[in-house]
mmCIF file of all heavy atoms in Angstrom:
data_model
loop_
_atom_site.group_PDB
_atom_site.id
_atom_site.type_symbol
_atom_site.label_atom_id
_atom_site.label_comp_id
_atom_site.label_asym_id
_atom_site.label_seq_id
_atom_site.Cartn_x
_atom_site.Cartn_y
_atom_site.Cartn_z
ATOM 1 N N GLU A 1 -9.829 0.656 7.263
ATOM 2 C CA GLU A 1 -10.947 -0.058 7.859
ATOM 3 C C GLU A 1 -12.131 0.000 6.909
ATOM 4 O O GLU A 1 -12.476 1.063 6.389
ATOM 5 C CB GLU A 1 -11.323 0.570 9.210
ATOM 6 C CG GLU A 1 -10.245 0.432 10.286
ATOM 7 C CD GLU A 1 -9.973 -1.002 10.669
ATOM 8 O OE1 GLU A 1 -10.894 -1.836 10.527
ATOM 9 O OE2 GLU A 1 -8.839 -1.297 11.092
ATOM 10 N N LEU A 2 -12.745 -1.150 6.674
ATOM 11 C CA LEU A 2 -13.901 -1.185 5.789
ATOM 12 C C LEU A 2 -15.082 -0.475 6.437
ATOM 13 O O LEU A 2 -15.346 -0.644 7.621
ATOM 14 C CB LEU A 2 -14.277 -2.642 5.484
ATOM 15 C CG LEU A 2 -13.268 -3.397 4.617
ATOM 16 C CD1 LEU A 2 -13.547 -4.875 4.689
ATOM 17 C CD2 LEU A 2 -13.320 -2.918 3.195
ATOM 18 N N PRO A 3 -15.814 0.356 5.705
ATOM 19 C CA PRO A 3 -16.946 1.104 6.253
ATOM 20 C C PRO A 3 -18.097 0.194 6.651
ATOM 21 O O PRO A 3 -18.314 -0.853 6.045
ATOM 22 C CB PRO A 3 -17.344 2.029 5.100
ATOM 23 C CG PRO A 3 -16.876 1.324 3.882
ATOM 24 C CD PRO A 3 -15.613 0.613 4.275
ATOM 25 N N MET A 4 -18.828 0.581 7.680
ATOM 26 C CA MET A 4 -19.975 -0.185 8.155
ATOM 27 C C MET A 4 -21.213 0.262 7.397
ATOM 28 O O MET A 4 -21.976 1.120 7.835
ATOM 29 C CB MET A 4 -20.156 0.022 9.668
ATOM 30 C CG MET A 4 -18.974 -0.427 10.497
ATOM 31 S SD MET A 4 -18.659 -2.217 10.327
ATOM 32 C CE MET A 4 -20.133 -2.881 11.084
ATOM 33 N N GLN A 5 -21.394 -0.313 6.219
ATOM 34 C CA GLN A 5 -22.558 0.016 5.410
ATOM 35 C C GLN A 5 -22.773 -1.100 4.402
ATOM 36 O O GLN A 5 -22.092 -2.114 4.437
ATOM 37 C CB GLN A 5 -22.342 1.340 4.679
ATOM 38 C CG GLN A 5 -21.214 1.277 3.624
ATOM 39 C CD GLN A 5 -21.265 2.436 2.658
ATOM 40 O OE1 GLN A 5 -21.232 3.561 3.073
ATOM 41 N NE2 GLN A 5 -21.349 2.135 1.382
ATOM 42 N N ASP A 6 -23.739 -0.918 3.535
ATOM 43 C CA ASP A 6 -24.008 -1.907 2.499
ATOM 44 C C ASP A 6 -22.764 -2.076 1.632
ATOM 45 O O ASP A 6 -22.333 -1.131 0.959
ATOM 46 C CB ASP A 6 -25.184 -1.433 1.632
ATOM 47 C CG ASP A 6 -25.584 -2.471 0.587
ATOM 48 O OD1 ASP A 6 -24.826 -3.443 0.396
ATOM 49 O OD2 ASP A 6 -26.648 -2.301 -0.024
ATOM 50 N N PRO A 7 -22.133 -3.276 1.651
ATOM 51 C CA PRO A 7 -20.890 -3.465 0.897
ATOM 52 C C PRO A 7 -21.070 -3.418 -0.613
ATOM 53 O O PRO A 7 -20.094 -3.388 -1.351
ATOM 54 C CB PRO A 7 -20.428 -4.857 1.354
ATOM 55 C CG PRO A 7 -21.672 -5.549 1.768
ATOM 56 C CD PRO A 7 -22.538 -4.484 2.364
ATOM 57 N N LEU A 8 -22.318 -3.431 -1.087
ATOM 58 C CA LEU A 8 -22.540 -3.345 -2.527
ATOM 59 C C LEU A 8 -22.470 -1.909 -3.023
ATOM 60 O O LEU A 8 -22.406 -1.654 -4.212
ATOM 61 C CB LEU A 8 -23.906 -3.948 -2.882
ATOM 62 C CG LEU A 8 -24.068 -5.448 -2.585
ATOM 63 C CD1 LEU A 8 -25.458 -5.911 -2.985
ATOM 64 C CD2 LEU A 8 -23.020 -6.262 -3.325
ATOM 65 N N ILE A 9 -22.502 -0.955 -2.099
ATOM 66 C CA ILE A 9 -22.452 0.454 -2.456
ATOM 67 C C ILE A 9 -21.100 1.004 -2.034
ATOM 68 O O ILE A 9 -20.763 1.025 -0.852
ATOM 69 C CB ILE A 9 -23.583 1.253 -1.774
ATOM 70 C CG1 ILE A 9 -24.946 0.673 -2.165
ATOM 71 C CG2 ILE A 9 -23.494 2.734 -2.142
ATOM 72 C CD1 ILE A 9 -26.110 1.327 -1.433
ATOM 73 N N ASP A 10 -20.310 1.439 -2.988
ATOM 74 C CA ASP A 10 -18.976 1.933 -2.677
ATOM 75 C C ASP A 10 -19.020 3.289 -1.995
ATOM 76 O O ASP A 10 -19.716 4.212 -2.437
ATOM 77 C CB ASP A 10 -18.130 2.003 -3.954
ATOM 78 C CG ASP A 10 -17.704 0.615 -4.417
ATOM 79 O OD1 ASP A 10 -17.434 -0.226 -3.547
ATOM 80 O OD2 ASP A 10 -17.662 0.377 -5.632
ATOM 81 N N ASP A 11 -18.280 3.395 -0.925
ATOM 82 C CA ASP A 11 -18.230 4.596 -0.113
ATOM 83 C C ASP A 11 -17.089 5.495 -0.608
ATOM 84 O O ASP A 11 -15.942 5.050 -0.721
ATOM 85 C CB ASP A 11 -18.000 4.193 1.350
ATOM 86 C CG ASP A 11 -17.922 5.373 2.273
ATOM 87 O OD1 ASP A 11 -18.979 5.830 2.716
ATOM 88 O OD2 ASP A 11 -16.795 5.825 2.551
ATOM 89 N N GLU A 12 -17.382 6.752 -0.877
ATOM 90 C CA GLU A 12 -16.381 7.660 -1.447
ATOM 91 C C GLU A 12 -15.212 7.878 -0.498
ATOM 92 O O GLU A 12 -14.053 7.955 -0.920
ATOM 93 C CB GLU A 12 -17.033 9.000 -1.800
ATOM 94 C CG GLU A 12 -17.976 8.930 -2.986
ATOM 95 C CD GLU A 12 -17.268 8.487 -4.264
ATOM 96 O OE1 GLU A 12 -16.103 8.873 -4.466
ATOM 97 O OE2 GLU A 12 -17.877 7.744 -5.052
ATOM 98 N N ALA A 13 -15.498 7.977 0.802
ATOM 99 C CA ALA A 13 -14.422 8.183 1.776
ATOM 100 C C ALA A 13 -13.493 6.964 1.809
ATOM 101 O O ALA A 13 -12.270 7.100 1.890
ATOM 102 C CB ALA A 13 -15.006 8.439 3.163
ATOM 103 N N TYR A 14 -14.092 5.784 1.733
ATOM 104 C CA TYR A 14 -13.297 4.558 1.727
ATOM 105 C C TYR A 14 -12.424 4.496 0.480
ATOM 106 O O TYR A 14 -11.242 4.153 0.540
ATOM 107 C CB TYR A 14 -14.206 3.331 1.784
ATOM 108 C CG TYR A 14 -13.479 2.033 1.565
ATOM 109 C CD1 TYR A 14 -12.692 1.477 2.572
ATOM 110 C CD2 TYR A 14 -13.546 1.374 0.338
ATOM 111 C CE1 TYR A 14 -12.008 0.303 2.362
ATOM 112 C CE2 TYR A 14 -12.860 0.189 0.126
ATOM 113 C CZ TYR A 14 -12.093 -0.342 1.146
ATOM 114 O OH TYR A 14 -11.406 -1.509 0.930
ATOM 115 N N LEU A 15 -13.006 4.830 -0.665
ATOM 116 C CA LEU A 15 -12.240 4.790 -1.910
ATOM 117 C C LEU A 15 -11.083 5.781 -1.879
ATOM 118 O O LEU A 15 -9.996 5.508 -2.395
ATOM 119 C CB LEU A 15 -13.158 5.079 -3.094
ATOM 120 C CG LEU A 15 -14.188 3.993 -3.431
ATOM 121 C CD1 LEU A 15 -15.066 4.439 -4.593
ATOM 122 C CD2 LEU A 15 -13.507 2.671 -3.763
ATOM 123 N N ALA A 16 -11.310 6.940 -1.251
ATOM 124 C CA ALA A 16 -10.245 7.940 -1.157
ATOM 125 C C ALA A 16 -9.083 7.406 -0.314
ATOM 126 O O ALA A 16 -7.906 7.572 -0.664
ATOM 127 C CB ALA A 16 -10.795 9.229 -0.551
ATOM 128 N N LYS A 17 -9.411 6.744 0.803
ATOM 129 C CA LYS A 17 -8.371 6.175 1.658
ATOM 130 C C LYS A 17 -7.655 5.035 0.943
ATOM 131 O O LYS A 17 -6.446 4.868 1.071
ATOM 132 C CB LYS A 17 -8.987 5.678 2.962
ATOM 133 C CG LYS A 17 -9.480 6.793 3.881
ATOM 134 C CD LYS A 17 -10.097 6.225 5.154
ATOM 135 C CE LYS A 17 -10.604 7.334 6.053
ATOM 136 N NZ LYS A 17 -11.235 6.790 7.297
ATOM 137 N N LEU A 18 -8.421 4.250 0.205
ATOM 138 C CA LEU A 18 -7.834 3.137 -0.537
ATOM 139 C C LEU A 18 -6.813 3.650 -1.548
ATOM 140 O O LEU A 18 -5.715 3.111 -1.677
ATOM 141 C CB LEU A 18 -8.943 2.350 -1.239
ATOM 142 C CG LEU A 18 -8.548 1.090 -2.020
ATOM 143 C CD1 LEU A 18 -9.706 0.101 -2.031
ATOM 144 C CD2 LEU A 18 -8.160 1.434 -3.460
ATOM 145 N N LYS A 19 -7.178 4.702 -2.263
ATOM 146 C CA LYS A 19 -6.271 5.264 -3.261
ATOM 147 C C LYS A 19 -5.001 5.809 -2.607
ATOM 148 O O LYS A 19 -3.906 5.701 -3.165
ATOM 149 C CB LYS A 19 -6.977 6.361 -4.052
ATOM 150 C CG LYS A 19 -8.068 5.830 -4.977
ATOM 151 C CD LYS A 19 -8.792 6.965 -5.693
ATOM 152 C CE LYS A 19 -9.892 6.428 -6.602
ATOM 153 N NZ LYS A 19 -10.635 7.515 -7.279
ATOM 154 N N GLN A 20 -5.154 6.382 -1.399
ATOM 155 C CA GLN A 20 -3.992 6.890 -0.690
ATOM 156 C C GLN A 20 -3.058 5.748 -0.297
ATOM 157 O O GLN A 20 -1.836 5.847 -0.459
ATOM 158 C CB GLN A 20 -4.422 7.650 0.568
ATOM 159 C CG GLN A 20 -3.256 8.256 1.349
ATOM 160 C CD GLN A 20 -3.710 9.005 2.584
ATOM 161 O OE1 GLN A 20 -4.909 9.214 2.792
ATOM 162 N NE2 GLN A 20 -2.776 9.404 3.417
ATOM 163 N N GLU A 21 -3.631 4.652 0.194
ATOM 164 C CA GLU A 21 -2.830 3.488 0.553
ATOM 165 C C GLU A 21 -2.155 2.899 -0.679
ATOM 166 O O GLU A 21 -0.989 2.496 -0.628
ATOM 167 C CB GLU A 21 -3.703 2.429 1.211
ATOM 168 C CG GLU A 21 -2.912 1.223 1.709
ATOM 169 C CD GLU A 21 -3.808 0.130 2.235
ATOM 170 O OE1 GLU A 21 -4.310 -0.662 1.421
ATOM 171 O OE2 GLU A 21 -4.008 0.065 3.462
ATOM 172 N N LEU A 22 -2.886 2.884 -1.791
ATOM 173 C CA LEU A 22 -2.338 2.356 -3.034
ATOM 174 C C LEU A 22 -1.168 3.204 -3.515
ATOM 175 O O LEU A 22 -0.136 2.674 -3.952
ATOM 176 C CB LEU A 22 -3.431 2.309 -4.103
ATOM 177 C CG LEU A 22 -3.045 1.753 -5.474
ATOM 178 C CD1 LEU A 22 -2.529 0.322 -5.351
ATOM 179 C CD2 LEU A 22 -4.238 1.808 -6.422
ATOM 180 N N ARG A 23 -1.299 4.520 -3.415
ATOM 181 C CA ARG A 23 -0.199 5.409 -3.823
ATOM 182 C C ARG A 23 1.041 5.178 -2.965
ATOM 183 O O ARG A 23 2.166 5.212 -3.468
ATOM 184 C CB ARG A 23 -0.651 6.869 -3.743
ATOM 185 C CG ARG A 23 -1.560 7.313 -4.889
ATOM 186 C CD ARG A 23 -1.713 8.826 -4.916
ATOM 187 N NE ARG A 23 -2.435 9.304 -3.760
ATOM 188 C CZ ARG A 23 -3.762 9.468 -3.707
ATOM 189 N NH1 ARG A 23 -4.504 9.168 -4.763
ATOM 190 N NH2 ARG A 23 -4.350 9.924 -2.618
ATOM 191 N N GLN A 24 0.841 4.968 -1.663
ATOM 192 C CA GLN A 24 1.970 4.708 -0.771
ATOM 193 C C GLN A 24 2.671 3.407 -1.145
ATOM 194 O O GLN A 24 3.908 3.320 -1.132
ATOM 195 C CB GLN A 24 1.477 4.658 0.676
ATOM 196 C CG GLN A 24 1.028 6.006 1.218
ATOM 197 C CD GLN A 24 0.401 5.899 2.599
ATOM 198 O OE1 GLN A 24 0.039 4.819 3.067
ATOM 199 N NE2 GLN A 24 0.268 7.029 3.283
ATOM 200 N N TRP A 25 1.883 2.388 -1.479
ATOM 201 C CA TRP A 25 2.453 1.108 -1.898
ATOM 202 C C TRP A 25 3.235 1.269 -3.190
ATOM 203 O O TRP A 25 4.349 0.738 -3.329
ATOM 204 C CB TRP A 25 1.331 0.085 -2.082
ATOM 205 C CG TRP A 25 1.792 -1.243 -2.588
ATOM 206 C CD1 TRP A 25 2.392 -2.238 -1.869
ATOM 207 C CD2 TRP A 25 1.703 -1.726 -3.940
ATOM 208 N NE1 TRP A 25 2.675 -3.317 -2.679
ATOM 209 C CE2 TRP A 25 2.261 -3.034 -3.958
ATOM 210 C CE3 TRP A 25 1.197 -1.193 -5.121
ATOM 211 C CZ2 TRP A 25 2.332 -3.796 -5.115
ATOM 212 C CZ3 TRP A 25 1.274 -1.963 -6.279
ATOM 213 C CH2 TRP A 25 1.830 -3.247 -6.266
ATOM 214 N N MET A 26 2.675 2.004 -4.141
ATOM 215 C CA MET A 26 3.343 2.207 -5.422
ATOM 216 C C MET A 26 4.645 2.976 -5.241
ATOM 217 O O MET A 26 5.656 2.676 -5.899
ATOM 218 C CB MET A 26 2.408 2.952 -6.374
ATOM 219 C CG MET A 26 1.176 2.151 -6.781
ATOM 220 S SD MET A 26 -0.034 3.101 -7.737
ATOM 221 C CE MET A 26 0.900 3.375 -9.256
ATOM 222 N N LYS A 27 4.639 3.951 -4.356
ATOM 223 C CA LYS A 27 5.850 4.723 -4.087
ATOM 224 C C LYS A 27 6.945 3.826 -3.527
ATOM 225 O O LYS A 27 8.125 3.943 -3.901
ATOM 226 C CB LYS A 27 5.540 5.849 -3.100
ATOM 227 C CG LYS A 27 6.712 6.783 -2.832
ATOM 228 C CD LYS A 27 6.302 7.920 -1.902
ATOM 229 C CE LYS A 27 7.475 8.863 -1.641
ATOM 230 N NZ LYS A 27 7.078 9.976 -0.724
ATOM 231 N N ALA A 28 6.557 2.893 -2.662
ATOM 232 C CA ALA A 28 7.527 1.962 -2.079
ATOM 233 C C ALA A 28 8.117 1.045 -3.147
ATOM 234 O O ALA A 28 9.294 0.668 -3.072
ATOM 235 C CB ALA A 28 6.861 1.143 -0.977
ATOM 236 N N GLN A 29 7.306 0.679 -4.148
ATOM 237 C CA GLN A 29 7.792 -0.207 -5.212
ATOM 238 C C GLN A 29 8.845 0.472 -6.079
ATOM 239 O O GLN A 29 9.706 -0.190 -6.663
ATOM 240 C CB GLN A 29 6.624 -0.670 -6.098
ATOM 241 C CG GLN A 29 5.511 -1.398 -5.375
ATOM 242 C CD GLN A 29 5.998 -2.526 -4.509
ATOM 243 O OE1 GLN A 29 6.707 -3.420 -4.961
ATOM 244 N NE2 GLN A 29 5.623 -2.490 -3.236
ATOM 245 N N GLU A 30 8.787 1.788 -6.165
ATOM 246 C CA GLU A 30 9.699 2.535 -7.024
ATOM 247 C C GLU A 30 11.072 2.747 -6.377
ATOM 248 O O GLU A 30 12.031 3.092 -7.060
ATOM 249 C CB GLU A 30 9.093 3.896 -7.372
ATOM 250 C CG GLU A 30 7.836 3.821 -8.231
ATOM 251 C CD GLU A 30 8.127 3.485 -9.683
ATOM 252 O OE1 GLU A 30 9.314 3.276 -10.020
ATOM 253 O OE2 GLU A 30 7.169 3.449 -10.482
ATOM 254 N N LYS A 31 11.152 2.549 -5.071
ATOM 255 C CA LYS A 31 12.411 2.793 -4.379
ATOM 256 C C LYS A 31 13.449 1.735 -4.740
ATOM 257 O O LYS A 31 13.118 0.576 -4.962
ATOM 258 C CB LYS A 31 12.189 2.803 -2.866
ATOM 259 C CG LYS A 31 11.371 3.990 -2.363
ATOM 260 C CD LYS A 31 11.222 3.937 -0.848
ATOM 261 C CE LYS A 31 10.435 5.130 -0.340
ATOM 262 N NZ LYS A 31 10.252 5.080 1.142
ATOM 263 N N GLY A 32 14.704 2.157 -4.787
ATOM 264 C CA GLY A 32 15.783 1.214 -5.069
ATOM 265 C C GLY A 32 16.104 0.382 -3.846
ATOM 266 O O GLY A 32 15.549 0.598 -2.759
ATOM 267 N N PRO A 33 16.990 -0.608 -3.991
ATOM 268 C CA PRO A 33 17.349 -1.455 -2.852
ATOM 269 C C PRO A 33 18.046 -0.663 -1.753
ATOM 270 O O PRO A 33 18.895 0.179 -2.028
ATOM 271 C CB PRO A 33 18.285 -2.500 -3.478
ATOM 272 C CG PRO A 33 18.815 -1.844 -4.719
ATOM 273 C CD PRO A 33 17.714 -0.965 -5.214
ATOM 274 N N THR A 34 17.663 -0.935 -0.525
ATOM 275 C CA THR A 34 18.289 -0.286 0.623
ATOM 276 C C THR A 34 19.566 -1.031 0.989
ATOM 277 O O THR A 34 19.861 -2.122 0.468
ATOM 278 C CB THR A 34 17.336 -0.287 1.827
ATOM 279 O OG1 THR A 34 17.083 -1.658 2.220
ATOM 280 C CG2 THR A 34 16.008 0.386 1.479
ATOM 281 N N LEU A 35 20.332 -0.453 1.916
ATOM 282 C CA LEU A 35 21.529 -1.137 2.398
ATOM 283 C C LEU A 35 21.156 -2.465 3.050
ATOM 284 O O LEU A 35 21.881 -3.456 2.910
ATOM 285 C CB LEU A 35 22.270 -0.242 3.400
ATOM 286 C CG LEU A 35 22.943 1.007 2.824
ATOM 287 C CD1 LEU A 35 23.553 1.840 3.948
ATOM 288 C CD2 LEU A 35 24.020 0.614 1.811
ATOM 289 N N MET A 36 19.997 -2.489 3.724
ATOM 290 C CA MET A 36 19.536 -3.726 4.342
ATOM 291 C C MET A 36 19.208 -4.775 3.283
ATOM 292 O O MET A 36 19.510 -5.958 3.455
ATOM 293 C CB MET A 36 18.307 -3.443 5.202
ATOM 294 C CG MET A 36 17.770 -4.669 5.943
ATOM 295 S SD MET A 36 18.980 -5.375 7.095
ATOM 296 C CE MET A 36 18.998 -4.094 8.359
ATOM 297 N N ASP A 37 18.587 -4.324 2.175
ATOM 298 C CA ASP A 37 18.281 -5.249 1.081
ATOM 299 C C ASP A 37 19.561 -5.869 0.524
ATOM 300 O O ASP A 37 19.624 -7.075 0.263
ATOM 301 C CB ASP A 37 17.536 -4.526 -0.045
ATOM 302 C CG ASP A 37 16.131 -4.116 0.350
ATOM 303 O OD1 ASP A 37 15.524 -4.796 1.178
ATOM 304 O OD2 ASP A 37 15.647 -3.092 -0.187
ATOM 305 N N LYS A 38 20.571 -5.024 0.330
ATOM 306 C CA LYS A 38 21.842 -5.503 -0.229
ATOM 307 C C LYS A 38 22.526 -6.460 0.730
ATOM 308 O O LYS A 38 23.075 -7.492 0.315
ATOM 309 C CB LYS A 38 22.753 -4.312 -0.548
ATOM 310 C CG LYS A 38 22.215 -3.409 -1.655
ATOM 311 C CD LYS A 38 23.127 -2.212 -1.880
ATOM 312 C CE LYS A 38 22.575 -1.305 -2.989
ATOM 313 N NZ LYS A 38 23.434 -0.103 -3.197
ATOM 314 N N TRP A 39 22.485 -6.130 2.017
ATOM 315 C CA TRP A 39 23.093 -7.008 3.014
ATOM 316 C C TRP A 39 22.372 -8.347 3.059
ATOM 317 O O TRP A 39 23.013 -9.411 3.097
ATOM 318 C CB TRP A 39 23.041 -6.346 4.385
ATOM 319 C CG TRP A 39 23.536 -7.247 5.487
ATOM 320 C CD1 TRP A 39 24.828 -7.440 5.886
ATOM 321 C CD2 TRP A 39 22.730 -8.111 6.308
ATOM 322 N NE1 TRP A 39 24.878 -8.372 6.903
ATOM 323 C CE2 TRP A 39 23.605 -8.798 7.196
ATOM 324 C CE3 TRP A 39 21.363 -8.355 6.392
ATOM 325 C CZ2 TRP A 39 23.145 -9.713 8.133
ATOM 326 C CZ3 TRP A 39 20.908 -9.269 7.337
ATOM 327 C CH2 TRP A 39 21.786 -9.936 8.191
ATOM 328 N N ALA A 40 21.035 -8.293 3.026
ATOM 329 C CA ALA A 40 20.240 -9.518 3.081
ATOM 330 C C ALA A 40 20.517 -10.399 1.873
ATOM 331 O O ALA A 40 20.598 -11.629 1.984
ATOM 332 C CB ALA A 40 18.753 -9.172 3.164
ATOM 333 N N SER A 41 20.665 -9.765 0.700
ATOM 334 C CA SER A 41 20.924 -10.520 -0.521
ATOM 335 C C SER A 41 22.259 -11.259 -0.434
ATOM 336 O O SER A 41 22.362 -12.434 -0.798
ATOM 337 C CB SER A 41 20.925 -9.567 -1.722
ATOM 338 O OG SER A 41 21.185 -10.273 -2.911
ATOM 339 N N LYS A 42 23.281 -10.571 0.065
ATOM 340 C CA LYS A 42 24.594 -11.201 0.202
ATOM 341 C C LYS A 42 24.559 -12.323 1.233
ATOM 342 O O LYS A 42 25.158 -13.383 1.040
ATOM 343 C CB LYS A 42 25.633 -10.153 0.598
ATOM 344 C CG LYS A 42 25.959 -9.147 -0.502
ATOM 345 C CD LYS A 42 27.017 -8.157 -0.035
ATOM 346 C CE LYS A 42 27.352 -7.154 -1.147
ATOM 347 N NZ LYS A 42 28.368 -6.161 -0.693
ATOM 348 N N THR A 43 23.845 -12.073 2.320
ATOM 349 C CA THR A 43 23.748 -13.080 3.378
ATOM 350 C C THR A 43 23.003 -14.305 2.897
ATOM 351 O O THR A 43 23.391 -15.449 3.180
ATOM 352 C CB THR A 43 23.040 -12.486 4.613
ATOM 353 O OG1 THR A 43 23.723 -11.308 5.034
ATOM 354 C CG2 THR A 43 23.022 -13.493 5.757
ATOM 355 N N GLN A 44 21.930 -14.089 2.140
ATOM 356 C CA GLN A 44 21.161 -15.205 1.603
ATOM 357 C C GLN A 44 22.013 -16.038 0.649
ATOM 358 O O GLN A 44 21.956 -17.268 0.663
ATOM 359 C CB GLN A 44 19.917 -14.682 0.884
ATOM 360 C CG GLN A 44 18.845 -14.169 1.831
ATOM 361 C CD GLN A 44 17.754 -13.405 1.112
ATOM 362 O OE1 GLN A 44 17.765 -13.277 -0.102
ATOM 363 N NE2 GLN A 44 16.804 -12.887 1.869
#
């Protein structure tokens, strides 16, 4: 959630949460294809 403050001033708590979300996204990108991915690919 974006902090309720002057949007021109970056909030440290917001940046910390953003980095955590970014790390989670990056971790997901590193994962190999799941069984569902393989099934979907064959079905497609």
Side-chain angles (χ1 to χ4, degrees):
E1 294 296 333
L2 291 165
M4 299 298 294
Q5 66 164 56
D6 184 349
L8 297 180
I9 302 175
D10 286 324
D11 180 85
E12 289 299 323
Y14 171 76
L15 290 178
K17 290 179 181 179
L18 183 151
K19 290 177 181 178
Q20 182 180 352
E21 184 186 83
L22 181 59
R23 284 193 293 269
Q24 291 174 345
W25 177 79
M26 294 173 67
K27 185 177 180 180
Q29 302 309 306
E30 294 285 2
K31 292 181 179 179
T34 64
L35 290 176
M36 182 61 71
D37 291 330
K38 295 177 180 178
W39 175 85
S41 180
K42 290 181 180 179
T43 305
Q44 287 168 2

